[in-house]
Amino acid sequence: MLGPARAESAQLGVPGPLQIGRVISVQPDHLPFPRAQVSVGGRTVGVELTLPGARPGDLVELSGTRQPDGSTVYLVSDFERRPALIALTVLFVAVAFAVGRGKGLRAVAGMGFSLAVILLGVIPAILAGWNPLGVALCGSLSILVLSVTFVHGLNWTSGAALLGTFAACGVTLGLATLSADVAHLSGVGNETTLFLQNLGVQLDFRALLLAGVTIGALGAIVDATVPQAAVVRELAYHQPDMTWGTLYRSAMRVGLDHIGSLINTLVLAYAGTSLPLLVLLYAGAVPWAEAVNAETLATVVVQTLVGSTGLVLAVPLTSLIAALAFQGGRLPAPGAGERHVH
């Protein structure tokens, strides 16, 4: 795990490339920062340990800076977290396979593809000057088409689910645009956008905000549309004489349970990401009526409400599309991937 010691090649006064070292010992009484011995590149160096909570055995990132007298001063910059992230990824894949078997592995592969599209396609296109909303929307919809068909197969259930998702996505995007206009959201109400501005990145931050709202809601919407389409498909298979109206009403009785659980999941997800902000407002004794008017918190409220609205509408939209498509036993028996299973 130890990287090669390459600090000697650095220019005078210029930090060398980051290296990985392991903390051997810590002297906590040393002020102002604890003094530590770190093994890096096959040798032991002394550094001031500015990382809180660092203990012997921890992996850390550090860089060396050449001094005029020829010596090298090392500075610890951060913990080395990649081994923990790799271990967690392996655990996730193992659990997905153990529980979901082939479909679980396909879901993991679909997730990897989604991240690749966002990291290698959407973000570079946004930085290249393309409209963030259009890029994010096209990227997300392409991800949905490929991931849903890859995980659940190319069948009538996936087709109905995707149509319901597209319809709900259109409603969500329109509502997000209207809400941003009415609430006067500029998209520059947080530190991240301020950092981007300081870096000289020229973006339409309002479009970036709308793209984030739409992408954030799409995942939850798909979680509602796929099982809802499967429910209608299963009902139509077992009772082919049901009319589309009866199919719709029967499916909606199941869909109400999906709506309740998924809305709660969406709200908790947004609340979790905004928890430090909420704690800060509470600690500062800011009245909630005043705090919610600030753009940072108002943006979170708009994201939650717009996403939840799109999620609620996704269930009846998908149920209606699937009921019209599946009524009268006009389709063959559903395959294993089309059955509604929890």
Side-chain angles (χ1 to χ4, degrees), residues 85-282:
L85 298 179
I86 293 173
L88 185 59
T89 301
V90 172
L91 175 62
F92 167 67
V93 173
V95 171
F97 175 73
V99 177
R101 301 296 178 180
K103 180 168 284 191
L105 288 181
R106 290 198 299 271
V108 172
M111 182 187 70
F113 172 77
S114 300
L115 291 175
V117 170
I118 292 174
L119 296 177
L120 303 179
V122 172
I123 294 178
I126 290 175
L127 292 176
W130 292 68
N131 183 275
L133 181 57
V135 171
L137 191 59
C138 292
S140 299
L141 293 181
S142 63
I143 287 172
L144 290 179
V145 172
L146 293 176
S147 62
V148 169
T149 55
F150 180 68
V151 175
H152 302 282
L154 183 60
N155 48 56
W156 292 101
T157 302
S158 297
L162 286 173
L163 288 177
T165 301
F166 294 159
C169 178
V171 173
T172 302
L173 178 58
L175 184 58
T177 304
L178 178 63
S179 300
D181 287 337
V182 174
H184 301 286
L185 300 180
S186 63
V188 294
N190 58 65
E191 293 182 354
T192 304
T193 54
L194 293 178
F195 285 145
L196 287 172
Q197 288 179 319
N198 291 335
L199 290 174
V201 178
Q202 300 296 322
L203 291 177
D204 184 346
F205 290 103
R206 185 175 174 276
L208 189 63
L209 168 64
L210 296 176
V213 173
T214 305
I215 292 177
L218 276 178
I221 289 174
V222 171
D223 286 341
T225 57
V226 172
Q228 195 63 21
V231 166
V232 180
R233 185 71 174 83
E234 195 77 8
L235 289 171
Y237 168 65
H238 287 290
Q239 299 191 36
D241 58 337
M242 294 177 69
T243 64
W244 72 267
T246 305
L247 271 176
Y248 174 80
R249 289 189 294 271
S250 298
M252 281 302 297
R253 284 194 287 270
V254 179
L256 292 177
D257 292 331
H258 286 155
I259 289 174
S261 61
L262 287 173
I263 285 180
N264 193 44
T265 301
L266 194 62
V267 171
L268 290 177
Y270 282 122
T273 56
S274 305
L275 193 58
L277 173 62
L278 297 176
V279 172
L280 175 62
L281 294 174
Y282 190 86

